[in-house]
Amino acid sequence: MVQPALTKTLLTGVIAGVVGGGAILYGQQGVQLLQNQNQKVSTTATSTKTIAKNATATSAYNKVSDAVVSVLNFTKSSQGSYQESSEGSGVIYKKTDGSAFIVTNNHVITGAAKIQVMLHSGKKVTATLVGKDAMTDLAVLKIDGTDVTTTAQFGDSSKITVGENVLAIGSPLGSEYASSVTQGIISAKKRLVEATSENGQNYGGSTVIQTDAAINPGNSGGPLINFAGQVIGINSMKLSTSSSGTSVEGMGFAIPSDQVVDIVNKLVKDGKVTRPAIGISLINLSEVTASEQKSTLKIPDSVTGGVVVMSLTNNGPADKAGLKKYDVIVGINGKKVSSQADLREELYKHSLGDTITLTYYHQDTKQTVKVKLTQKLAS
């Protein structure tokens, strides 16, 4: 029998899981294929130990600044004229076959009837939307590459360290302040923040880098770079007030470059991102009290992290594999799972049809099971 306190905890988890945390294993955002360029970009592994000792904010900025652009979103009036609706930032990451490709935030171009890009030189050119992904808040644009002289290089975000110096570059408050740069540090390598689609579907969370480098309206879509001048993230949002209304300073977030590279390659190749699902809703084990973990989940005291299965899709991959409600997943493919972010990050590296191995506790028994990813995330 479920204890009353745990019932309340887990009921809250179901609501949050189905709409939020669990929805990350169900939702998928697809877009029309506009271009198909098969040349992929990749990350270059650079840790703080290998960044040149004489590297400075100025030297890092100079490597990237010419590749940073302003992105102008135009809507169409009832009279048929175009009016600038909003502005953001972006970074040119590839030039091929006479075209240049730009990564920016999905929310920067949402609702646009026309998109313009202002280059570092100040020249404005028309951009074509290649693809967008609401879950990761990323979009890829294409422009004529004639005037593009510099492309940015992606660094390896898995190699970043807390306390490492970083720069945020973009157009805070619009193109009037284009190519502004702010300096800060990596405050945390991995945070899970809310992610919502244009139609209001809550995807439950997005894994991001936290930084105290100033990120303001208009910086969205611009690069977060290390002192080697490599893009380690795409600036996406800032936290200005807490849920209680308390004013917050120095909490900005960027999409990690490893995730960015994976998504932009898929968008350029296929115009959409198709994700696998295991068919569960879940909550973090940390949301369940120690006494409830012992009395209801019945897991060993040594289990300190993981995700609790709250419900399963009938005949879904997890259901077919034999997982049950209240099982606690602690690993995927040999990698430790402490939270939803860990599970999602590893799961989304796979494609439909792949088979993964989950490690989990069914009460006090540790087990492993193979799960074939036959279900894709619902739109």
Side-chain angles (χ1 to χ4, degrees), residues 318-354:
D319 185 35
K320 288 181 178 179
L323 270 75
K324 304 295 182 184
K325 184 177 181 179
Y326 297 162
D327 284 347
V328 180
I329 299 172
V330 296
I332 176 172
N333 290 342
K335 296 185 178 180
K336 184 178 179 180
V337 169
S338 298
S339 66
Q340 296 180 43
D342 295 332
L343 180 62
R344 193 186 84 163
E345 185 176 354
E346 184 62 29
L347 176 65
Y348 289 169
K349 292 177 182 177
H350 294 273
S351 303
L352 288 173
D354 288 355

PDB file of all heavy atoms in Angstrom, residues 318-354:
ATOM      1  N   ALA A 318       9.361   0.177 -22.900  1.00  0.00           N
ATOM      2  CA  ALA A 318       9.673  -0.153 -21.504  1.00  0.00           C
ATOM      3  C   ALA A 318       8.724  -1.207 -20.956  1.00  0.00           C
ATOM      4  O   ALA A 318       9.133  -2.114 -20.223  1.00  0.00           O
ATOM      5  CB  ALA A 318       9.613   1.115 -20.649  1.00  0.00           C
ATOM      6  N   ASP A 319       7.456  -1.094 -21.321  1.00  0.00           N
ATOM      7  CA  ASP A 319       6.445  -2.062 -20.882  1.00  0.00           C
ATOM      8  C   ASP A 319       6.776  -3.452 -21.422  1.00  0.00           C
ATOM      9  O   ASP A 319       6.736  -4.453 -20.694  1.00  0.00           O
ATOM     10  CB  ASP A 319       5.069  -1.611 -21.360  1.00  0.00           C
ATOM     11  CG  ASP A 319       3.938  -2.504 -20.853  1.00  0.00           C
ATOM     12  OD1 ASP A 319       4.040  -2.994 -19.711  1.00  0.00           O
ATOM     13  OD2 ASP A 319       2.966  -2.710 -21.595  1.00  0.00           O
ATOM     14  N   LYS A 320       7.126  -3.518 -22.694  1.00  0.00           N
ATOM     15  CA  LYS A 320       7.466  -4.808 -23.305  1.00  0.00           C
ATOM     16  C   LYS A 320       8.725  -5.407 -22.686  1.00  0.00           C
ATOM     17  O   LYS A 320       8.875  -6.635 -22.629  1.00  0.00           O
ATOM     18  CB  LYS A 320       7.653  -4.639 -24.814  1.00  0.00           C
ATOM     19  CG  LYS A 320       6.367  -4.398 -25.582  1.00  0.00           C
ATOM     20  CD  LYS A 320       6.646  -4.255 -27.072  1.00  0.00           C
ATOM     21  CE  LYS A 320       5.359  -4.062 -27.861  1.00  0.00           C
ATOM     22  NZ  LYS A 320       5.624  -3.893 -29.318  1.00  0.00           N
ATOM     23  N   ALA A 321       9.626  -4.526 -22.233  1.00  0.00           N
ATOM     24  CA  ALA A 321      10.879  -5.009 -21.647  1.00  0.00           C
ATOM     25  C   ALA A 321      10.700  -5.497 -20.211  1.00  0.00           C
ATOM     26  O   ALA A 321      11.608  -6.120 -19.648  1.00  0.00           O
ATOM     27  CB  ALA A 321      11.933  -3.900 -21.689  1.00  0.00           C
ATOM     28  N   GLY A 322       9.536  -5.207 -19.617  1.00  0.00           N
ATOM     29  CA  GLY A 322       9.255  -5.718 -18.281  1.00  0.00           C
ATOM     30  C   GLY A 322       9.404  -4.738 -17.144  1.00  0.00           C
ATOM     31  O   GLY A 322       9.303  -5.124 -15.973  1.00  0.00           O
ATOM     32  N   LEU A 323       9.657  -3.449 -17.426  1.00  0.00           N
ATOM     33  CA  LEU A 323       9.737  -2.474 -16.357  1.00  0.00           C
ATOM     34  C   LEU A 323       8.360  -2.268 -15.727  1.00  0.00           C
ATOM     35  O   LEU A 323       7.333  -2.411 -16.397  1.00  0.00           O
ATOM     36  CB  LEU A 323      10.273  -1.129 -16.869  1.00  0.00           C
ATOM     37  CG  LEU A 323      11.804  -0.980 -16.809  1.00  0.00           C
ATOM     38  CD1 LEU A 323      12.451  -1.784 -17.925  1.00  0.00           C
ATOM     39  CD2 LEU A 323      12.219   0.480 -16.902  1.00  0.00           C
ATOM     40  N   LYS A 324       8.356  -1.916 -14.442  1.00  0.00           N
ATOM     41  CA  LYS A 324       7.118  -1.742 -13.697  1.00  0.00           C
ATOM     42  C   LYS A 324       7.087  -0.370 -13.021  1.00  0.00           C
ATOM     43  O   LYS A 324       8.115   0.273 -12.836  1.00  0.00           O
ATOM     44  CB  LYS A 324       6.981  -2.828 -12.615  1.00  0.00           C
ATOM     45  CG  LYS A 324       7.067  -4.251 -13.135  1.00  0.00           C
ATOM     46  CD  LYS A 324       5.915  -4.596 -14.056  1.00  0.00           C
ATOM     47  CE  LYS A 324       5.993  -6.054 -14.519  1.00  0.00           C
ATOM     48  NZ  LYS A 324       4.927  -6.385 -15.503  1.00  0.00           N
ATOM     49  N   LYS A 325       5.874   0.050 -12.654  1.00  0.00           N
ATOM     50  CA  LYS A 325       5.703   1.285 -11.898  1.00  0.00           C
ATOM     51  C   LYS A 325       6.524   1.201 -10.617  1.00  0.00           C
ATOM     52  O   LYS A 325       6.553   0.155  -9.958  1.00  0.00           O
ATOM     53  CB  LYS A 325       4.227   1.501 -11.573  1.00  0.00           C
ATOM     54  CG  LYS A 325       3.923   2.814 -10.869  1.00  0.00           C
ATOM     55  CD  LYS A 325       2.431   2.973 -10.651  1.00  0.00           C
ATOM     56  CE  LYS A 325       2.109   4.299  -9.976  1.00  0.00           C
ATOM     57  NZ  LYS A 325       0.662   4.493  -9.772  1.00  0.00           N
ATOM     58  N   TYR A 326       7.208   2.289 -10.283  1.00  0.00           N
ATOM     59  CA  TYR A 326       8.056   2.450  -9.098  1.00  0.00           C
ATOM     60  C   TYR A 326       9.433   1.814  -9.256  1.00  0.00           C
ATOM     61  O   TYR A 326      10.223   1.836  -8.323  1.00  0.00           O
ATOM     62  CB  TYR A 326       7.390   1.931  -7.826  1.00  0.00           C
ATOM     63  CG  TYR A 326       6.123   2.671  -7.442  1.00  0.00           C
ATOM     64  CD1 TYR A 326       5.217   2.097  -6.564  1.00  0.00           C
ATOM     65  CD2 TYR A 326       5.843   3.934  -7.956  1.00  0.00           C
ATOM     66  CE1 TYR A 326       4.041   2.754  -6.212  1.00  0.00           C
ATOM     67  CE2 TYR A 326       4.677   4.600  -7.610  1.00  0.00           C
ATOM     68  CZ  TYR A 326       3.772   4.017  -6.747  1.00  0.00           C
ATOM     69  OH  TYR A 326       2.618   4.673  -6.395  1.00  0.00           O
ATOM     70  N   ASP A 327       9.731   1.219 -10.417  1.00  0.00           N
ATOM     71  CA  ASP A 327      11.115   0.826 -10.662  1.00  0.00           C
ATOM     72  C   ASP A 327      11.970   2.084 -10.728  1.00  0.00           C
ATOM     73  O   ASP A 327      11.493   3.155 -11.144  1.00  0.00           O
ATOM     74  CB  ASP A 327      11.244   0.051 -11.973  1.00  0.00           C
ATOM     75  CG  ASP A 327      10.734  -1.383 -11.859  1.00  0.00           C
ATOM     76  OD1 ASP A 327      10.526  -1.840 -10.723  1.00  0.00           O
ATOM     77  OD2 ASP A 327      10.537  -2.025 -12.911  1.00  0.00           O
ATOM     78  N   VAL A 328      13.236   1.966 -10.339  1.00  0.00           N
ATOM     79  CA  VAL A 328      14.132   3.127 -10.307  1.00  0.00           C
ATOM     80  C   VAL A 328      15.291   2.883 -11.274  1.00  0.00           C
ATOM     81  O   VAL A 328      16.135   2.002 -11.050  1.00  0.00           O
ATOM     82  CB  VAL A 328      14.675   3.385  -8.893  1.00  0.00           C
ATOM     83  CG1 VAL A 328      15.615   4.594  -8.896  1.00  0.00           C
ATOM     84  CG2 VAL A 328      13.534   3.598  -7.913  1.00  0.00           C
ATOM     85  N   ILE A 329      15.313   3.647 -12.362  1.00  0.00           N
ATOM     86  CA  ILE A 329      16.367   3.516 -13.374  1.00  0.00           C
ATOM     87  C   ILE A 329      17.610   4.255 -12.893  1.00  0.00           C
ATOM     88  O   ILE A 329      17.557   5.441 -12.539  1.00  0.00           O
ATOM     89  CB  ILE A 329      15.901   4.090 -14.724  1.00  0.00           C
ATOM     90  CG1 ILE A 329      14.677   3.315 -15.230  1.00  0.00           C
ATOM     91  CG2 ILE A 329      17.034   4.026 -15.758  1.00  0.00           C
ATOM     92  CD1 ILE A 329      14.025   3.938 -16.459  1.00  0.00           C
ATOM     93  N   VAL A 330      18.756   3.552 -12.876  1.00  0.00           N
ATOM     94  CA  VAL A 330      20.000   4.144 -12.373  1.00  0.00           C
ATOM     95  C   VAL A 330      21.107   4.147 -13.417  1.00  0.00           C
ATOM     96  O   VAL A 330      22.189   4.703 -13.168  1.00  0.00           O
ATOM     97  CB  VAL A 330      20.486   3.406 -11.111  1.00  0.00           C
ATOM     98  CG1 VAL A 330      19.491   3.576  -9.969  1.00  0.00           C
ATOM     99  CG2 VAL A 330      20.729   1.920 -11.396  1.00  0.00           C
ATOM    100  N   GLY A 331      20.851   3.532 -14.592  1.00  0.00           N
ATOM    101  CA  GLY A 331      21.898   3.515 -15.603  1.00  0.00           C
ATOM    102  C   GLY A 331      21.333   3.265 -16.993  1.00  0.00           C
ATOM    103  O   GLY A 331      20.264   2.665 -17.148  1.00  0.00           O
ATOM    104  N   ILE A 332      22.032   3.766 -18.004  1.00  0.00           N
ATOM    105  CA  ILE A 332      21.681   3.512 -19.396  1.00  0.00           C
ATOM    106  C   ILE A 332      22.969   3.280 -20.168  1.00  0.00           C
ATOM    107  O   ILE A 332      23.885   4.114 -20.142  1.00  0.00           O
ATOM    108  CB  ILE A 332      20.846   4.664 -20.013  1.00  0.00           C
ATOM    109  CG1 ILE A 332      20.577   4.410 -21.493  1.00  0.00           C
ATOM    110  CG2 ILE A 332      21.488   6.007 -19.779  1.00  0.00           C
ATOM    111  CD1 ILE A 332      19.599   5.403 -22.129  1.00  0.00           C
ATOM    112  N   ASN A 333      23.071   2.121 -20.774  1.00  0.00           N
ATOM    113  CA  ASN A 333      24.268   1.737 -21.533  1.00  0.00           C
ATOM    114  C   ASN A 333      25.545   1.874 -20.725  1.00  0.00           C
ATOM    115  O   ASN A 333      26.583   2.325 -21.224  1.00  0.00           O
ATOM    116  CB  ASN A 333      24.368   2.561 -22.818  1.00  0.00           C
ATOM    117  CG  ASN A 333      23.311   2.196 -23.822  1.00  0.00           C
ATOM    118  OD1 ASN A 333      22.699   1.129 -23.750  1.00  0.00           O
ATOM    119  ND2 ASN A 333      23.047   3.076 -24.768  1.00  0.00           N
ATOM    120  N   GLY A 334      25.462   1.501 -19.454  1.00  0.00           N
ATOM    121  CA  GLY A 334      26.639   1.535 -18.602  1.00  0.00           C
ATOM    122  C   GLY A 334      26.959   2.887 -18.018  1.00  0.00           C
ATOM    123  O   GLY A 334      27.912   3.021 -17.230  1.00  0.00           O
ATOM    124  N   LYS A 335      26.178   3.912 -18.367  1.00  0.00           N
ATOM    125  CA  LYS A 335      26.409   5.257 -17.830  1.00  0.00           C
ATOM    126  C   LYS A 335      25.423   5.545 -16.711  1.00  0.00           C
ATOM    127  O   LYS A 335      24.246   5.197 -16.794  1.00  0.00           O
ATOM    128  CB  LYS A 335      26.279   6.304 -18.940  1.00  0.00           C
ATOM    129  CG  LYS A 335      27.335   6.155 -20.015  1.00  0.00           C
ATOM    130  CD  LYS A 335      27.267   7.284 -21.036  1.00  0.00           C
ATOM    131  CE  LYS A 335      28.366   7.133 -22.085  1.00  0.00           C
ATOM    132  NZ  LYS A 335      28.316   8.229 -23.083  1.00  0.00           N
ATOM    133  N   LYS A 336      25.913   6.186 -15.667  1.00  0.00           N
ATOM    134  CA  LYS A 336      25.106   6.459 -14.486  1.00  0.00           C
ATOM    135  C   LYS A 336      23.981   7.435 -14.803  1.00  0.00           C
ATOM    136  O   LYS A 336      24.172   8.433 -15.497  1.00  0.00           O
ATOM    137  CB  LYS A 336      25.997   7.028 -13.381  1.00  0.00           C
ATOM    138  CG  LYS A 336      25.284   7.270 -12.062  1.00  0.00           C
ATOM    139  CD  LYS A 336      26.259   7.791 -11.020  1.00  0.00           C
ATOM    140  CE  LYS A 336      25.565   8.062  -9.698  1.00  0.00           C
ATOM    141  NZ  LYS A 336      26.529   8.578  -8.677  1.00  0.00           N
ATOM    142  N   VAL A 337      22.803   7.140 -14.295  1.00  0.00           N
ATOM    143  CA  VAL A 337      21.652   8.029 -14.414  1.00  0.00           C
ATOM    144  C   VAL A 337      21.298   8.539 -13.017  1.00  0.00           C
ATOM    145  O   VAL A 337      20.893   7.763 -12.148  1.00  0.00           O
ATOM    146  CB  VAL A 337      20.440   7.307 -15.031  1.00  0.00           C
ATOM    147  CG1 VAL A 337      19.182   8.162 -14.898  1.00  0.00           C
ATOM    148  CG2 VAL A 337      20.697   6.976 -16.488  1.00  0.00           C
ATOM    149  N   SER A 338      21.462   9.837 -12.805  1.00  0.00           N
ATOM    150  CA  SER A 338      21.104  10.451 -11.529  1.00  0.00           C
ATOM    151  C   SER A 338      19.820  11.252 -11.630  1.00  0.00           C
ATOM    152  O   SER A 338      19.179  11.529 -10.621  1.00  0.00           O
ATOM    153  CB  SER A 338      22.240  11.370 -11.033  1.00  0.00           C
ATOM    154  OG  SER A 338      23.416  10.628 -10.810  1.00  0.00           O
ATOM    155  N   SER A 339      19.464  11.641 -12.858  1.00  0.00           N
ATOM    156  CA  SER A 339      18.309  12.514 -13.049  1.00  0.00           C
ATOM    157  C   SER A 339      17.733  12.318 -14.443  1.00  0.00           C
ATOM    158  O   SER A 339      18.311  11.609 -15.285  1.00  0.00           O
ATOM    159  CB  SER A 339      18.731  13.980 -12.879  1.00  0.00           C
ATOM    160  OG  SER A 339      19.631  14.351 -13.918  1.00  0.00           O
ATOM    161  N   GLN A 340      16.600  12.990 -14.701  1.00  0.00           N
ATOM    162  CA  GLN A 340      15.988  12.955 -16.027  1.00  0.00           C
ATOM    163  C   GLN A 340      16.950  13.460 -17.091  1.00  0.00           C
ATOM    164  O   GLN A 340      16.963  12.962 -18.222  1.00  0.00           O
ATOM    165  CB  GLN A 340      14.731  13.829 -16.035  1.00  0.00           C
ATOM    166  CG  GLN A 340      13.626  13.345 -15.116  1.00  0.00           C
ATOM    167  CD  GLN A 340      12.427  14.261 -15.177  1.00  0.00           C
ATOM    168  OE1 GLN A 340      12.020  14.689 -16.260  1.00  0.00           O
ATOM    169  NE2 GLN A 340      11.843  14.574 -14.035  1.00  0.00           N
ATOM    170  N   ALA A 341      17.745  14.479 -16.740  1.00  0.00           N
ATOM    171  CA  ALA A 341      18.683  15.055 -17.709  1.00  0.00           C
ATOM    172  C   ALA A 341      19.668  14.004 -18.201  1.00  0.00           C
ATOM    173  O   ALA A 341      19.980  13.929 -19.392  1.00  0.00           O
ATOM    174  CB  ALA A 341      19.433  16.235 -17.086  1.00  0.00           C
ATOM    175  N   ASP A 342      20.174  13.169 -17.274  1.00  0.00           N
ATOM    176  CA  ASP A 342      21.126  12.125 -17.656  1.00  0.00           C
ATOM    177  C   ASP A 342      20.484  11.109 -18.591  1.00  0.00           C
ATOM    178  O   ASP A 342      21.069  10.707 -19.598  1.00  0.00           O
ATOM    179  CB  ASP A 342      21.637  11.401 -16.409  1.00  0.00           C
ATOM    180  CG  ASP A 342      22.441  12.289 -15.487  1.00  0.00           C
ATOM    181  OD1 ASP A 342      23.051  13.254 -15.981  1.00  0.00           O
ATOM    182  OD2 ASP A 342      22.449  12.020 -14.274  1.00  0.00           O
ATOM    183  N   LEU A 343      19.268  10.694 -18.253  1.00  0.00           N
ATOM    184  CA  LEU A 343      18.572   9.695 -19.068  1.00  0.00           C
ATOM    185  C   LEU A 343      18.278  10.233 -20.461  1.00  0.00           C
ATOM    186  O   LEU A 343      18.531   9.569 -21.470  1.00  0.00           O
ATOM    187  CB  LEU A 343      17.272   9.271 -18.379  1.00  0.00           C
ATOM    188  CG  LEU A 343      16.423   8.230 -19.115  1.00  0.00           C
ATOM    189  CD1 LEU A 343      17.190   6.931 -19.279  1.00  0.00           C
ATOM    190  CD2 LEU A 343      15.112   7.984 -18.375  1.00  0.00           C
ATOM    191  N   ARG A 344      17.755  11.449 -20.516  1.00  0.00           N
ATOM    192  CA  ARG A 344      17.400  12.023 -21.806  1.00  0.00           C
ATOM    193  C   ARG A 344      18.628  12.263 -22.669  1.00  0.00           C
ATOM    194  O   ARG A 344      18.627  11.996 -23.875  1.00  0.00           O
ATOM    195  CB  ARG A 344      16.651  13.349 -21.604  1.00  0.00           C
ATOM    196  CG  ARG A 344      15.994  13.831 -22.878  1.00  0.00           C
ATOM    197  CD  ARG A 344      15.393  15.195 -22.720  1.00  0.00           C
ATOM    198  NE  ARG A 344      16.396  16.235 -22.920  1.00  0.00           N
ATOM    199  CZ  ARG A 344      16.104  17.502 -23.161  1.00  0.00           C
ATOM    200  NH1 ARG A 344      14.854  17.888 -23.182  1.00  0.00           N
ATOM    201  NH2 ARG A 344      17.038  18.384 -23.348  1.00  0.00           N
ATOM    202  N   GLU A 345      19.695  12.758 -22.056  1.00  0.00           N
ATOM    203  CA  GLU A 345      20.905  13.068 -22.816  1.00  0.00           C
ATOM    204  C   GLU A 345      21.449  11.835 -23.525  1.00  0.00           C
ATOM    205  O   GLU A 345      21.833  11.888 -24.701  1.00  0.00           O
ATOM    206  CB  GLU A 345      21.970  13.641 -21.874  1.00  0.00           C
ATOM    207  CG  GLU A 345      23.234  14.105 -22.566  1.00  0.00           C
ATOM    208  CD  GLU A 345      24.213  14.759 -21.616  1.00  0.00           C
ATOM    209  OE1 GLU A 345      23.880  14.953 -20.433  1.00  0.00           O
ATOM    210  OE2 GLU A 345      25.334  15.069 -22.056  1.00  0.00           O
ATOM    211  N   GLU A 346      21.475  10.714 -22.834  1.00  0.00           N
ATOM    212  CA  GLU A 346      21.995   9.488 -23.439  1.00  0.00           C
ATOM    213  C   GLU A 346      20.980   8.882 -24.404  1.00  0.00           C
ATOM    214  O   GLU A 346      21.343   8.408 -25.485  1.00  0.00           O
ATOM    215  CB  GLU A 346      22.347   8.478 -22.343  1.00  0.00           C
ATOM    216  CG  GLU A 346      22.988   7.203 -22.860  1.00  0.00           C
ATOM    217  CD  GLU A 346      24.324   7.430 -23.558  1.00  0.00           C
ATOM    218  OE1 GLU A 346      25.035   8.394 -23.206  1.00  0.00           O
ATOM    219  OE2 GLU A 346      24.657   6.636 -24.470  1.00  0.00           O
ATOM    220  N   LEU A 347      19.696   8.910 -24.041  1.00  0.00           N
ATOM    221  CA  LEU A 347      18.662   8.321 -24.894  1.00  0.00           C
ATOM    222  C   LEU A 347      18.628   8.985 -26.263  1.00  0.00           C
ATOM    223  O   LEU A 347      18.508   8.316 -27.294  1.00  0.00           O
ATOM    224  CB  LEU A 347      17.296   8.458 -24.216  1.00  0.00           C
ATOM    225  CG  LEU A 347      16.092   7.965 -25.026  1.00  0.00           C
ATOM    226  CD1 LEU A 347      16.177   6.464 -25.255  1.00  0.00           C
ATOM    227  CD2 LEU A 347      14.792   8.328 -24.322  1.00  0.00           C
ATOM    228  N   TYR A 348      18.757  10.320 -26.282  1.00  0.00           N
ATOM    229  CA  TYR A 348      18.613  11.049 -27.537  1.00  0.00           C
ATOM    230  C   TYR A 348      19.840  10.966 -28.432  1.00  0.00           C
ATOM    231  O   TYR A 348      19.863  11.524 -29.520  1.00  0.00           O
ATOM    232  CB  TYR A 348      18.255  12.507 -27.257  1.00  0.00           C
ATOM    233  CG  TYR A 348      16.843  12.676 -26.728  1.00  0.00           C
ATOM    234  CD1 TYR A 348      16.419  13.891 -26.199  1.00  0.00           C
ATOM    235  CD2 TYR A 348      15.935  11.618 -26.735  1.00  0.00           C
ATOM    236  CE1 TYR A 348      15.131  14.046 -25.702  1.00  0.00           C
ATOM    237  CE2 TYR A 348      14.671  11.759 -26.237  1.00  0.00           C
ATOM    238  CZ  TYR A 348      14.263  12.976 -25.721  1.00  0.00           C
ATOM    239  OH  TYR A 348      12.997  13.114 -25.223  1.00  0.00           O
ATOM    240  N   LYS A 349      20.855  10.234 -27.990  1.00  0.00           N
ATOM    241  CA  LYS A 349      21.985   9.947 -28.866  1.00  0.00           C
ATOM    242  C   LYS A 349      21.654   8.791 -29.811  1.00  0.00           C
ATOM    243  O   LYS A 349      22.394   8.513 -30.748  1.00  0.00           O
ATOM    244  CB  LYS A 349      23.225   9.585 -28.044  1.00  0.00           C
ATOM    245  CG  LYS A 349      23.801  10.738 -27.232  1.00  0.00           C
ATOM    246  CD  LYS A 349      24.985  10.266 -26.402  1.00  0.00           C
ATOM    247  CE  LYS A 349      25.540  11.390 -25.542  1.00  0.00           C
ATOM    248  NZ  LYS A 349      26.654  10.937 -24.678  1.00  0.00           N
ATOM    249  N   HIS A 350      20.537   8.127 -29.537  1.00  0.00           N
ATOM    250  CA  HIS A 350      20.156   6.934 -30.299  1.00  0.00           C
ATOM    251  C   HIS A 350      19.045   7.238 -31.292  1.00  0.00           C
ATOM    252  O   HIS A 350      18.383   8.266 -31.221  1.00  0.00           O
ATOM    253  CB  HIS A 350      19.733   5.827 -29.342  1.00  0.00           C
ATOM    254  CG  HIS A 350      20.850   5.323 -28.489  1.00  0.00           C
ATOM    255  ND1 HIS A 350      21.699   4.315 -28.887  1.00  0.00           N
ATOM    256  CD2 HIS A 350      21.291   5.717 -27.270  1.00  0.00           C
ATOM    257  CE1 HIS A 350      22.594   4.103 -27.956  1.00  0.00           C
ATOM    258  NE2 HIS A 350      22.371   4.935 -26.955  1.00  0.00           N
ATOM    259  N   SER A 351      18.837   6.297 -32.203  1.00  0.00           N
ATOM    260  CA  SER A 351      17.826   6.433 -33.249  1.00  0.00           C
ATOM    261  C   SER A 351      16.772   5.351 -33.078  1.00  0.00           C
ATOM    262  O   SER A 351      16.968   4.357 -32.360  1.00  0.00           O
ATOM    263  CB  SER A 351      18.478   6.301 -34.627  1.00  0.00           C
ATOM    264  OG  SER A 351      19.500   7.254 -34.801  1.00  0.00           O
ATOM    265  N   LEU A 352      15.646   5.560 -33.755  1.00  0.00           N
ATOM    266  CA  LEU A 352      14.608   4.538 -33.768  1.00  0.00           C
ATOM    267  C   LEU A 352      15.182   3.219 -34.272  1.00  0.00           C
ATOM    268  O   LEU A 352      15.929   3.193 -35.255  1.00  0.00           O
ATOM    269  CB  LEU A 352      13.451   4.976 -34.667  1.00  0.00           C
ATOM    270  CG  LEU A 352      12.553   6.096 -34.145  1.00  0.00           C
ATOM    271  CD1 LEU A 352      11.567   6.511 -35.224  1.00  0.00           C
ATOM    272  CD2 LEU A 352      11.826   5.674 -32.888  1.00  0.00           C
ATOM    273  N   GLY A 353      14.841   2.141 -33.603  1.00  0.00           N
ATOM    274  CA  GLY A 353      15.337   0.831 -33.994  1.00  0.00           C
ATOM    275  C   GLY A 353      16.548   0.380 -33.211  1.00  0.00           C
ATOM    276  O   GLY A 353      16.887  -0.813 -33.212  1.00  0.00           O
ATOM    277  N   ASP A 354      17.241   1.321 -32.533  1.00  0.00           N
ATOM    278  CA  ASP A 354      18.385   0.955 -31.704  1.00  0.00           C
ATOM    279  C   ASP A 354      17.915   0.192 -30.469  1.00  0.00           C
ATOM    280  O   ASP A 354      16.766   0.294 -30.046  1.00  0.00           O
ATOM    281  CB  ASP A 354      19.153   2.197 -31.251  1.00  0.00           C
ATOM    282  CG  ASP A 354      19.933   2.854 -32.377  1.00  0.00           C
ATOM    283  OD1 ASP A 354      19.957   2.286 -33.493  1.00  0.00           O
ATOM    284  OD2 ASP A 354      20.499   3.935 -32.153  1.00  0.00           O
TER     285      ASP A 354
END
